[in-house]
Amino acid sequence: MIKIVDITEEELLPEIFGGKAAGLSILKKQGFLVPDGVAIEAVDSMAYFDQLFQNNLKMQLKRFETEEGYEVAVRSSCTMEDIKCVSGAGKYKTFLGQMSFSEIWKAIEELICGLVVPGTKMGIVIQRFIQAQNSGVIFTSDPFTYEKNKMLVSFSHGLGDKLVSGKLAGRDVTIRMKDQEVMILEGTESFPELKKLCMDTKQLECRLGYPLDIEWAADGERLYYLQCRPISTITSIPSGMLHVDMGNMEKISERINIQDRIDIWKQVLESSIEMPDTYIYIYNDSNHESVEMEWELAKSAHYKGYSAVVLYPNDIVGCHYLGDKTKVRGSISKCCRYGIRAFPQYGSLKECIRNYDTLLGKHSWIGVTMIQETVKPLYTGQIRKIQDGYLMEITYGNFVTKGIVPVNRYMIGLADDFLLKKEVEQTRWYELIEGHIVYCLCNEDSKARTMIPEETIVKIVQYFKPLLETRDWTIEFGIFQNEPENEYQPFFMDLAEQRKEGKLTLSRVSSGIISEGKIKGKIIHIEKEDISLLCENLDNEYEPMVFFAQRPDIALLPLVERCSSKDAAFVFCEGSVLCHLATVLREKRIPAIQIGYYHKGEYAEGKECVVNAQSEYITGRERISVT
């Protein structure tokens, strides 16, 4: 005979009584106030019910009987509803209020006969009807961003059936939980039970280990819990590793919210542009089963280690290089002296990723890490489409975006003609080998100048044109020199979109302008070790300053972030106009120029000078007037 059980007395399993009954059983077991009621075992046909069953059900429902009938709520409890992999929200009707037994029986029949998923069964929950003053749903974590300390509440005055079914727009409140305090981030309306609701349900989430979608009702005296299910938009995301290729693009897109990055990869792959082997690792903190993966990834012929970069949450900084220290020495260029400037923090890819899991799990249910092969290119560079054509910068080794090494600069016109060609000696560079950052100094004068044939520069422009024509962005690329043909092969590394940046033109770049503007200020010469002290001083009020530095090194970023276009300018000897720091200077409209090498005595510390990064018909030192 089909079972009818009291939902307050037994632990109800979803495969026997359905997801909703199981959720109510969890709430009751955890000490939450659940309206009195019964659960009917899940079936797929009304044929399982006979007169004896109906008589038994009438006996169970006597506690809800009134003069007008039964005051109850009849709800679905499908075996494929309110579980981790699927919510089933809104698929089945809820019946509320005064009903006769025949009306209750008709509601049961409608739910069972209305099964929409083949192979599933329908359980039934019948509970005491709550005359609510306020009711609604609460998400114990953000179902859209996966944040753990952010809760969403949607409520209405009175019954919440129309809100839950989507027929009525609720009053929405966004909550931030911090140190057991409830802070309203968005929404102006509230209700008396809000703090208790948030505190209690967040504690339940912590005990169960997964985010919850909970339906509730308050009658003015007590707070009742009507439903408890996992937030399936989070709990249904599988953990695992996916290789970035066209076959996996849809899978990656379905699982995680990194659409900008996915769009970039799609364009690269559709344009048949080469890129290092890349993997996406997804970690779901609500999935407590151990995720067994093959950590020995397939390696390409150019493999020299891995980089692991956190993509989501995007406010968590995580970037590490990994590799085998025993293979470093044999991979360093023979024509140079070298010193290792940084060592891998982790001994293996698995150790790094597991550490990321712990870090990300403190903030978010879902963490996404990009794992990419690091390679040893002969050159790296950046290219960007500008008003007059294409601006390209190239250097030996890696880290061209950091602004820490000399670069060759080329401007190629729209007709593939050379508008600018400035090649410099590159006696120092950095290589990334097996997770180690290696500083190299050239031993051979003949190797000091980067000599790339002009036809190769034009081919690089043609190679990346499909990407450059679609949006305003700067592409970072590498170049292999294939043996024995001695051919140059470019490949995609990364890109950055330019948003609020000032315009770059041939005349501005060739005349030394990095970022436009004009300012008068006191001369300050910067060494790397001075940056922290300068930042502390800038936190207080100060007069306008002109900072002189060797190159637009990324180490200057904390200083630049404290400056504005009204109180600072930067003067560099050399360096990139496409590097990250140069881009930030343009975004902030801070005047910046390159003037070539100089002696500090020419621009004495403490004196005032005017930096003119506006006029196009002066160059180099003509842009500085010492007063």
Side-chain angles (χ1 to χ4, degrees):
M1 185 174 177
I2 300 302
K3 294 179 182 178
I4 306 173
V5 299
D6 192 314
I7 60 174
T8 65
E9 292 181 359
E10 295 188 31
E11 182 176 348
L12 307 181
L13 300 177
E15 60 269 24
I16 298 176
F17 290 94
K20 190 171 278 88
L24 290 168
S25 177
I26 289 171
L27 284 168
K28 187 64 182 177
K29 185 178 179 181
Q30 295 292 334
F32 285 73
L33 182 59
V34 174
D36 188 19
V38 297
I40 300 173
E41 184 180 350
V43 296
D44 58 7
S45 168
M46 290 295 289
Y48 290 95
F49 301 135
D50 54 18
Q51 188 60 48
L52 184 60
F53 176 86
Q54 289 193 44
N55 294 339
N56 185 17
L57 181 60
K58 279 184 180 179
M59 289 292 295
Q60 294 277 4
L61 298 182
K62 270 193 172 294
R63 67 187 103 168
F64 308 129
E65 197 169 7
T66 67
E67 292 181 1
E68 291 80 19
Y70 300 88
E71 196 168 27
V72 292
V74 182
R75 312 181 77 182
S76 64
S77 184
C78 181
T79 53
M80 281 297 287
E81 180 183 21
D82 297 352
I83 56 178
K84 278 192 173 184
C85 61
V86 62
S87 73
K91 282 187 177 178
Y92 303 105
K93 189 176 177 182
T94 296
F95 302 85
L96 300 174
Q98 288 285 350
M99 286 180 263
S100 65
F101 184 80
S102 62
E103 287 172 324
I104 292 174
W105 192 253
K106 186 177 179 181
I108 293 171
E109 183 177 18
E110 185 173 332
L111 290 171
I112 292 173
C113 294
L115 277 167
V116 295
V117 180
T120 60
K121 296 180 179 181
M122 178 64 75
I124 303 294
V125 170
I126 304 175
Q127 291 176 280
R128 185 182 303 280
F129 177 66
I130 304 299
Q131 288 286 357
Q133 291 184 4
N134 293 300
S135 54
V137 294
I138 181 168
F139 294 95
T140 58
S141 292
D142 193 317
F144 307 108
T145 66
Y146 319 133
E147 291 176 80
K148 288 187 173 182
N149 64 350
K150 197 172 175 184
M151 308 175 78
L152 306 182
V153 181
S154 186
F155 74 99
S156 63
H157 300 306
L159 302 182
D161 57 319
K162 289 185 173 61
L163 184 150
V164 174
S165 66
K167 294 178 181 178
L168 176 71
R171 295 164 170 83
D172 297 329
V173 183
T174 303
I175 304 294
R176 174 79 69 191
M177 293 290 292
K178 185 176 181 181
D179 300 327
Q180 300 299 308
E181 288 295 320
V182 175
M183 298 183 294
I184 296 179
L185 298 181
E186 296 177 21
T188 56
E189 292 197 53
S190 184
F191 51 92
E193 300 84 3
L194 177 62
K195 183 173 182 179
K196 176 176 172 55
L197 175 69
C198 293
M199 297 289 288
D200 290 352
T201 56
K202 179 55 78 172
Q203 288 175 10
L204 178 61
E205 176 191 81
C206 293
R207 290 199 292 268
L208 297 180
Y210 54 86
L212 301 168
D213 168 0
I214 294 175
E215 189 178 334
W216 55 272
D219 64 2
E221 295 181 1
R222 288 168 292 187
L223 179 60
Y224 292 92
Y225 292 88
L226 312 179
Q227 173 185 285
C228 174
R229 62 186 174 204
I231 300 178
S232 61
T233 56
I234 297 176
T235 56
S236 63
I237 297 174
S239 298
M241 189 92 74
L242 290 171
H243 184 256
V244 174
D245 54 46
M246 288 305 293
N248 278 332
M249 281 295 105
E250 190 171 334
K251 289 181 183 177
I252 296 171
S253 182
E254 287 173 352
R255 294 187 189 185
I256 50 176
N257 183 22
I258 53 167
Q259 197 56 48
D260 286 350
R261 178 66 62 168
I262 291 169
D263 289 343
I264 291 168
W265 287 330
K266 276 186 177 179
Q267 288 193 49
V268 170
L269 295 170
E270 287 171 353
S271 302
S272 299
I273 292 173
E274 295 292 326
M275 62 182 282
D277 272 355
T278 304
Y279 298 83
I280 287 297
Y281 169 71
I282 304 168
Y283 173 68
N284 190 333
D285 197 40
S286 69
N287 181 358
H288 297 288
E289 292 80 22
S290 176
V291 180
E292 292 298 328
M293 288 188 302
E294 180 55 59
W295 292 100
E296 283 298 321
L297 304 176
K299 298 178 176 66
S300 73
H302 296 289
Y303 167 85
K304 292 295 178 185
Y306 291 111
S307 66
V309 180
V310 173
L311 296 184
Y312 197 88
N314 51 22
D315 58 344
I316 303 295
V317 177
C319 177
H320 289 88
Y321 300 114
L322 311 156
D324 184 347
K325 64 182 180 181
T326 64
K327 298 179 180 178
V328 175
R329 188 183 297 272
S331 299
I332 295 174
S333 302
K334 299 295 188 292
C335 64
C336 69
R337 292 172 290 146
Y338 70 92
I340 296 177
R341 293 295 176 89
F343 295 82
Q345 183 175 336
Y346 299 103
S348 68
L349 177 61
K350 182 177 181 179
E351 181 188 351
C352 175
I353 296 302
R354 290 306 185 215
N355 184 276
Y356 281 7
D357 291 347
T358 302
L359 171 66
L360 300 179
K362 295 176 181 178
H363 307 276
S364 174
W365 289 104
I366 303 297
V368 182
T369 301
M370 178 179 71
I371 300 166
Q372 191 171 58
E373 274 194 3
T374 55
V375 296
K376 187 190 174 190
L378 178 61
Y379 307 118
T380 53
Q382 296 182 96
I383 183 171
R384 177 180 171 185
K385 185 178 181 181
I386 63 174
Q387 184 175 321
D388 314 89
Y390 301 90
L391 178 62
M392 184 189 304
E393 294 180 336
I394 292 177
T395 187
Y396 275 127
N398 298 83
F399 303 111
V400 65
T401 62
K402 305 297 184 185
I404 55 179
V405 288
V407 295
N408 286 357
R409 186 171 298 125
Y410 307 93
M411 178 83 78
I412 297 88
L414 298 175
D416 294 337
D417 51 324
F418 272 72
L419 306 178
L420 174 69
K421 182 177 179 181
K422 183 181 179 183
E423 295 180 329
V424 299
E425 286 196 351
Q426 298 181 347
T427 57
R428 61 189 185 280
W429 64 90
Y430 291 85
E431 293 182 354
L432 178 58
I433 302 173
E434 297 289 345
H436 298 68
I437 298 175
V438 182
Y439 178 65
C440 302
L441 285 171
C442 187
N443 282 334
E444 302 176 22
D445 291 342
S446 61
K447 302 280 187 179
R449 188 175 292 273
T450 307
M451 301 294 289
I452 302 177
E454 289 188 359
E455 60 267 25
T456 299
I457 299 295
V458 173
K459 284 181 181 178
I460 293 171
V461 172
Q462 297 293 337
Y463 190 69
F464 290 111
K465 260 189 182 180
L467 293 181
L468 294 167
E469 298 297 329
T470 56
R471 282 158 71 179
D472 185 17
W473 45 29
T474 300
I475 295 173
E476 180 186 358
F477 63 90
I479 303 174
F480 293 125
Q481 189 171 22
N482 297 325
E483 302 289 348
E485 299 88 354
N486 211 31
E487 291 182 349
Y488 294 96
Q489 175 58 51
F491 62 93
F492 173 87
M493 294 178 70
D494 203 356
L495 59 75
E497 188 168 6
Q498 315 305 319
R499 291 186 171 89
K500 301 176 181 177
E501 189 185 324
K503 293 288 185 183
L504 282 173
T505 64
L506 171 62
S507 60
R508 290 170 187 166
V509 172
S510 58
S511 63
I513 296 176
I514 294 176
S515 177
E516 284 191 291
K518 188 174 183 179
I519 198 169
K520 180 179 181 180
K522 185 171 70 173
I523 295 173
I524 302 289
H525 291 279
I526 307 175
E527 301 295 339
K528 280 190 180 181
E529 55 269 21
D530 301 332
I531 294 173
S532 295
L533 182 59
L534 279 170
C535 289
E536 289 178 15
N537 293 337
L538 292 182
D539 287 336
N540 304 314
E541 290 188 16
Y542 65 95
E543 59 185 315
M545 296 183 182
V546 177
F547 298 103
F548 282 69
Q550 183 70 22
R551 59 186 67 88
D553 191 323
I554 192 64
L556 297 174
L557 184 60
L559 179 62
V560 171
E561 287 177 336
R562 285 170 168 80
C563 296
S564 74
S565 59
K566 297 179 181 179
D567 53 35
F570 284 80
V571 178
F572 302 108
C573 294
E574 60 174 3
S576 166
V577 299
L578 294 178
C579 68
H580 182 65
L581 192 85
T583 299
V584 174
L585 286 167
R586 286 190 290 274
E587 288 174 348
K588 293 174 71 70
R589 302 292 194 269
I590 296 173
I593 59 174
Q594 289 180 337
I595 63 169
Y597 289 97
Y598 59 85
H599 296 290
K600 285 186 179 180
E602 299 177 67
Y603 305 103
E605 182 102 11
K607 282 194 172 184
E608 286 195 333
C609 74
V610 176
V611 173
N612 180 355
Q614 288 180 332
S615 304
E616 295 189 6
Y617 301 105
I618 55 176
T619 61
R621 301 185 188 197
E622 296 173 351
R623 296 192 175 280
I624 303 176
S625 303
V626 179
T627 58

